[in-house]
Amino acid sequence: MRIAEAYRADKIPLSYEMFPPKGELGIEEARRVLDGLALLDPTFVSVTYSAGGSGNSKRTVDIAEMGARDVGLTMMPHLTCAGADPAQIARSIEALKAAGIENVLALRGDLGRVAASPDYRFAKDLIPQLREAGFCVGAAAYPEGHIDCLDRRENVEHLKEKEDAGAEFFVSQLFFDNEVAYRFLDECRAARIRVPIEFGIMPVTSKAQVARMVFMCGASLPSRLVKILARYEDAPDDLRRAGIEYAADQLCDLARHGVDGLHIYCMNNADTARELHDAVEPFR
Ligand code: FAD
């Protein structure tokens, strides 16, 4: 199914992100995650892509193909263009088509490990090529602004450029404060961004994970979450439980606000995905 069509349904779309597992058991592990997610009847499952052409990028397509062909899921592999040239992207497109993929999340990817590409400076430079190849194309949105973008207005202008380049929907970076999402939605609508925006939520599992997120994507921390992290710092099971409750509250609140779609960063844990699914299901 082309994901853009899912936003016309009565029910709020609910999707999940997985990443290619590392090591020998990668594909078997991925199959277990896909089978677990299939029980939740997801709108789609996205699969991350490692920038710079690591072995993991082939696994992205393999997992997306397995999810679509063997498990019957709507899959959305990610594709990054940082450091790529048009011939490399053309090869990636061929591989995606050969795997029967219909949907792609078009990303620039982080700079650092790979140098900026003159052909693809930004994700918006990748989107037209994917649309021309016939894919339904999504792109990333940043409710708190991308880490390199200090100006809220520019953040939304850059999003609008991705819509103008052909993005048919957006999936958001994680955030811990829903007020951030509602303010961002107002800014997007004021900038005449019309395509659906799906909001991404990640349950917290440890203080170290949250610290990584804060510095990687600039996520702000509401005091309720800081208090949870302080209280359960040395009690991993209690922190996991409280983290899932916190994420469930975020998802239910977003659903009650009638957002276009919900996305769960379930970190390859189908049990976590199920708990969050069950919590939000009555509000979709
Ligand atoms: P862009 O939209 O190109 O934006 C990059 C930066 O350039 C931003 O600061 C933006 O404001 C700025 N910019 C955009 N247009 C202009 C312009 N015209 N002029 C000046 N500045 C501009 N990374 C991976 O490696 N693999 C993944 O699978 C992956 N999945 C992701 C999924 C989601 C939902 C999200 C939100 C992020 C994901 N990322 C992934 C991370 C992403 O690659 C990084 O955040 C990356 O730094 C930016 O990618 P982008 O596609 O948003 O880039």
Side-chain angles (χ1 to χ4, degrees):
M1 187 192 65
R2 293 175 76 83
I3 291 170
E5 287 161 21
Y7 300 103
R8 296 195 201 112
D10 292 339
K11 215 169 170 183
I12 298 176
L14 177 58
S15 62
Y16 304 86
E17 181 192 271
M18 60 181 290
F19 49 84
K22 298 188 179 82
E24 289 301 306
L25 272 176
I27 285 291
E28 286 82 351
E29 236 179 283
R31 176 63 195 247
R32 274 197 292 278
V33 176
L34 287 166
D35 285 340
L37 294 178
L39 299 173
L40 309 178
D41 191 21
T43 306
F44 65 88
V45 174
S46 69
V47 190
T48 64
Y49 183 93
S50 178
S54 71
N56 157 308
S57 19
K58 166 142 176 40
R59 286 230 162 125
T60 298
V61 182
D62 292 345
I63 291 169
E65 180 173 18
M66 182 166 69
R69 291 219 165 122
D70 303 343
V71 189
L73 294 168
T74 296
M75 299 298 294
M76 180 177 72
H78 299 187
L79 179 66
T80 65
C81 58
D85 61 41
Q88 282 169 311
I89 295 295
R91 281 196 294 278
S92 297
I93 286 176
E94 282 317 307
L96 289 164
K97 293 199 122 179
I101 299 301
E102 286 184 282
N103 308 284
V104 179
L105 190 75
L107 297 152
R108 184 194 65 185
D110 286 325
L111 303 178
R113 272 188 306 144
V114 288
S117 156
D119 300 295
Y120 305 100
R121 289 183 60 217
F122 303 111
K124 73 179 166 74
D125 303 322
L126 173 65
I127 293 167
Q129 200 175 344
L130 291 170
R131 285 296 302 271
E132 276 159 32
F135 294 106
C136 174
V137 180
Y142 299 87
E144 295 190 77
H146 182 263
I147 192 83
D148 297 334
C149 185
L150 299 179
D151 185 298
R152 301 194 59 80
R153 195 179 40 82
E154 281 177 22
N155 177 48
V156 173
E157 281 171 10
H158 297 156
L159 196 69
K160 176 73 178 139
E161 286 176 2
K162 292 200 263 195
E163 182 185 71
D164 292 344
E168 295 169 87
F169 61 97
F170 292 114
V171 181
S172 93
Q173 183 58 279
L174 63 89
F175 54 89
F176 300 114
D177 180 354
N178 283 4
E179 291 311 315
V180 158
Y182 303 137
R183 182 180 60 182
F184 177 65
L185 265 185
D186 289 344
E187 290 167 355
C188 289
R189 299 313 174 212
R192 298 184 189 286
I193 292 170
R194 299 193 197 284
V195 303
I197 301 173
E198 185 146 315
F199 283 108
I201 297 297
M202 180 184 274
V204 304
T205 51
S206 74
K207 207 168 157 181
Q209 170 218 19
V210 175
R212 241 189 351 266
M213 292 308 156
V214 166
F215 288 104
M216 223 172 73
C217 60
S220 51
L221 294 183
S223 66
R224 182 180 155 213
L225 185 57
V226 174
K227 286 176 189 165
I228 288 172
L229 290 167
R231 176 177 298 185
Y232 301 120
E233 191 174 3
D234 300 317
D237 290 344
D238 293 339
L239 179 56
R240 180 183 176 276
R241 169 90 350 256
I244 287 179
E245 267 173 34
Y246 188 92
D249 284 352
Q250 275 193 282
L251 289 163
C252 294
D253 181 65
L254 288 162
R256 279 194 297 263
H257 271 76
V259 297
D260 299 323
L262 298 166
H263 189 66
I264 298 177
Y265 294 102
C266 67
M267 297 166 292
N268 288 0
N269 188 327
D271 293 334
T272 300
R274 184 182 39 75
E275 286 183 67
L276 292 173
H277 164 276
D278 291 354
V280 75
E281 188 60 14
F283 300 98
R284 296 170 63 206

